[in-house]
Amino acid sequence: MINPNSSDKTQLDALISHGMSYRQTNNNLSESYKEQRQSFLLKRLQLQAQIILIAGLTLITFFLWVNSQLEGKIYAFKIGLVVELFTLLCWGLCKTPIGRRYPDLIFLSLCWSVTCAVQIDIALLFNNLEPRSHIWTLMFLTQATIIPVQWWMHLISQLGTILCYLTLYILYSPILKNPSAFYIEQGLYFFWTCIICVFSVYLYERLRKKEFYARKAMELAQHKSERLLLNILPEIIAEQLKQQPATIADNFLEVTVIFADIVGFTELSSHTSPAELVELLNTIFCLFDQLAERHGVEKIKTIGDAYMAVAGLPNQSNNHAPAIANMALDMQNAIATFNKENNQSFSIRIGISTGPVVAGVIGLKKFAYDLWGDTVNIASRMESHGIAGSIQVCEATYQLLKDKYLLEKRGLIQVKGKGEMMTYILKGISLKN
């Protein structure tokens, strides 16, 4: 479990550095958070603009109603109209590329359209100015509630408002018209409103960011566990196991199984260090894994220095025998290339058999997808009774390959538990095809 209270980026880097394959690196995750925050910001800015428009209409209606003089009605209408038009412009910009690129400017514009624009209008119309802290408080609390992101932007909007007011006050009201206690009281209300708004936004976004990275870390961890599961089980079987955690077993009427054994590897282990031995085996089996993926073959397991795979399951296919034959021929070429590049002299003995199998997952721990049946046993015997450097196939496989591949009859061999069996050696692909 990822601890959201520790360093988010460090944890994600650690997950990625441990070999996790995922679409996003830590830097991309950071970008994703910024994109998510920007999308959130734009949606909330539109919502705030709508609220300001509705609130403005109610205030304009109220002032038009309470002002008995025509001049007062005109002033109220002018001030309200300026704010409404400015707000409408900001709302429209939110839906344009400019708004998507510069949402911070729209945030400040929305704030100052209510706080600064009103002060400027009053100063110009009445040549006088008094604090409108109730309007400022309402605006800042609204923004902190609706748009609780980027605390520094809230701080800039507040500082801009007070700077605008002080500048206008010096220009239009150099003499205090109210007792100093009045201004101190207004200043204290304004100060604590700003502090509470900025601090609450800071705490909210900090929590939101931690939750975002914790969620992404959990997604990465889940993806890693799924990738590990898919390295053990076929994708279809893994999905079945997640949905129904019970014994999984299926009958397949015809598949082709391959066993490959590295000749001489056991002798090599007696005079080679364990680390070097495992490295060699891992390199070879990784080559086989790539071939299995290329030919649509399902790797089943490795047993020591033996490699087992099957074609025709869990997704049934009619070309299972050619797929295994092509893979077997490529395995021979891969070993030859490996020997040349690593100064080795390995050869592989391959056995192939075609027929019905039972496939499934059993047990409670260390799940493994495995095969059972005579087809598996015969493929194993084809390998163990085969010739080093050759690909031996049974009669059933021969019948499926004989028209498109070159096969040489080896003859009858004694197979444990089966008696005498006719076998063939796969040489290559027929030139007629």
Side-chain angles (χ1 to χ4, degrees), residues 42-75:
L42 281 170
K43 290 179 181 178
R44 291 304 181 91
L45 283 171
Q46 293 181 53
L47 176 61
Q48 185 187 14
Q50 294 169 16
I51 293 174
I52 292 175
L53 286 171
I54 296 172
L57 289 174
T58 59
L59 290 172
I60 291 173
T61 303
F62 172 76
F63 285 121
L64 290 175
W65 177 59
V66 297
N67 277 287
S68 56
Q69 298 181 354
L70 178 62
E71 186 178 5
K73 293 179 183 290
I74 293 173
Y75 285 148

Side-chain angles (χ1 to χ4, degrees), residues 272-346:
T272 305
S273 67
E276 185 180 355
L277 193 71
V278 171
E279 182 65 27
L280 285 171
L281 192 60
N282 180 63
T283 303
I284 294 172
F285 282 174
C286 284
L287 293 173
F288 292 173
D289 287 346
Q290 292 172 3
L291 293 176
E293 187 172 354
R294 181 189 306 171
H295 294 290
V297 172
E298 188 69 44
K299 175 186 176 181
I300 298 301
K301 60 184 174 182
T302 59
I303 311 164
D305 58 353
Y307 189 96
M308 176 186 175
V310 63
L313 63 80
N315 295 315
Q316 298 188 37
S317 170
N318 293 325
N319 68 334
H320 48 85
I324 288 291
N326 292 335
M327 179 177 171
L329 294 169
D330 284 348
M331 289 168 80
Q332 288 184 325
N333 294 331
I335 284 293
T337 303
F338 175 84
N339 287 337
K340 185 176 179 180
E341 293 176 351
N342 296 274
N343 194 27
Q344 297 290 339
S345 57
F346 293 126

Side-chain angles (χ1 to χ4, degrees), residues 321-322 325-326 393 395-408 424 426 428-433:
N326 292 335
V393 305
E395 179 70 31
T397 306
Y398 168 77
Q399 293 299 328
L400 295 174
L401 299 177
K402 63 181 181 180
D403 295 332
K404 295 183 179 181
Y405 292 83
L406 298 174
L407 293 114
E408 180 182 291
Y424 303 82
L426 175 63
I429 301 175
S430 176
L431 297 177
K432 297 179 182 179
N433 296 289

Side-chain angles (χ1 to χ4, degrees), residues 120-178:
I120 294 171
D121 286 344
I122 292 174
L124 292 175
L125 291 172
F126 299 104
N127 199 33
N128 191 13
L129 200 67
E130 287 298 332
R132 296 293 191 278
S133 59
H134 58 287
I135 297 178
W136 305 344
T137 300
L138 178 63
M139 188 65 206
F140 298 145
L141 287 173
T142 301
Q143 282 193 318
T145 303
I146 298 177
I147 314 176
V149 292
Q150 296 184 323
W151 62 269
W152 54 268
M153 212 160 53
H154 290 260
L155 182 60
I156 291 174
S157 68
Q158 295 161 7
L159 292 176
T161 296
I162 194 63
L163 181 63
C164 175
Y165 173 75
L166 291 175
T167 302
L168 291 171
Y169 200 88
I170 292 172
L171 293 174
Y172 291 95
S173 301
I175 301 174
L176 298 180
K177 295 188 176 182
N178 290 298

Side-chain angles (χ1 to χ4, degrees), residues 52-314:
I52 292 175
L53 286 171
I54 296 172
L57 289 174
T58 59
L59 290 172
I60 291 173
T61 303
F62 172 76
F63 285 121
L64 290 175
W65 177 59
V66 297
N67 277 287
S68 56
Q69 298 181 354
L70 178 62
E71 186 178 5
K73 293 179 183 290
I74 293 173
Y75 285 148
F77 180 76
K78 285 182 178 181
I79 295 172
L81 183 63
V82 169
V83 174
E84 293 289 274
L85 288 176
F86 211 86
T87 304
L88 194 61
L89 177 64
C90 292
W91 185 20
L93 286 175
C94 287
K95 302 178 181 181
T96 66
I98 296 176
R100 288 190 289 271
R101 190 170 182 179
Y102 303 107
D104 300 352
L105 296 180
I106 296 178
F107 177 96
L108 295 174
S109 298
L110 273 176
C111 177
W112 291 337
S113 68
V114 174
T115 58
C116 296
V118 171
Q119 301 295 336
I120 294 171
D121 286 344
I122 292 174
L124 292 175
L125 291 172
F126 299 104
N127 199 33
N128 191 13
L129 200 67
E130 287 298 332
R132 296 293 191 278
S133 59
H134 58 287
I135 297 178
W136 305 344
T137 300
L138 178 63
M139 188 65 206
F140 298 145
L141 287 173
T142 301
Q143 282 193 318
T145 303
I146 298 177
I147 314 176
V149 292
Q150 296 184 323
W151 62 269
W152 54 268
M153 212 160 53
H154 290 260
L155 182 60
I156 291 174
S157 68
Q158 295 161 7
L159 292 176
T161 296
I162 194 63
L163 181 63
C164 175
Y165 173 75
L166 291 175
T167 302
L168 291 171
Y169 200 88
I170 292 172
L171 293 174
Y172 291 95
S173 301
I175 301 174
L176 298 180
K177 295 188 176 182
N178 290 298
S180 59
F182 169 79
Y183 296 97
I184 294 174
E185 180 184 9
Q186 296 295 319
L188 285 174
Y189 278 128
F190 179 76
F191 173 79
W192 284 112
T193 298
C194 293
I195 290 295
I196 292 170
C197 288
V198 171
F199 191 58
S200 64
V201 170
Y202 169 77
L203 292 178
Y204 177 84
E205 186 166 21
R206 184 180 177 186
L207 178 61
R208 186 182 178 93
K209 190 173 184 180
K210 284 189 175 183
E211 288 177 347
F212 175 86
Y213 280 106
R215 185 172 66 254
K216 285 297 180 182
M218 290 294 292
E219 290 175 4
L220 286 169
Q222 183 179 4
H223 182 80
K224 181 179 180 180
S225 66
E226 289 179 357
R227 293 302 305 168
L228 290 173
L229 186 62
L230 292 178
N231 282 336
I232 300 170
L233 304 173
E235 185 175 356
I236 295 176
I237 303 303
E239 288 299 323
Q240 279 184 264
L241 194 62
K242 286 192 289 186
Q243 295 174 9
Q244 296 178 338
T247 301
I248 297 174
D250 296 297
N251 286 309
F252 294 90
L253 297 179
E254 190 176 74
V255 300
T256 299
V257 180
I258 181 174
F259 273 86
D261 184 77
I262 303 174
V263 180
F265 200 86
T266 303
E267 291 78 7
L268 181 67
S269 63
S270 62
H271 54 83
T272 305
S273 67
E276 185 180 355
L277 193 71
V278 171
E279 182 65 27
L280 285 171
L281 192 60
N282 180 63
T283 303
I284 294 172
F285 282 174
C286 284
L287 293 173
F288 292 173
D289 287 346
Q290 292 172 3
L291 293 176
E293 187 172 354
R294 181 189 306 171
H295 294 290
V297 172
E298 188 69 44
K299 175 186 176 181
I300 298 301
K301 60 184 174 182
T302 59
I303 311 164
D305 58 353
Y307 189 96
M308 176 186 175
V310 63
L313 63 80

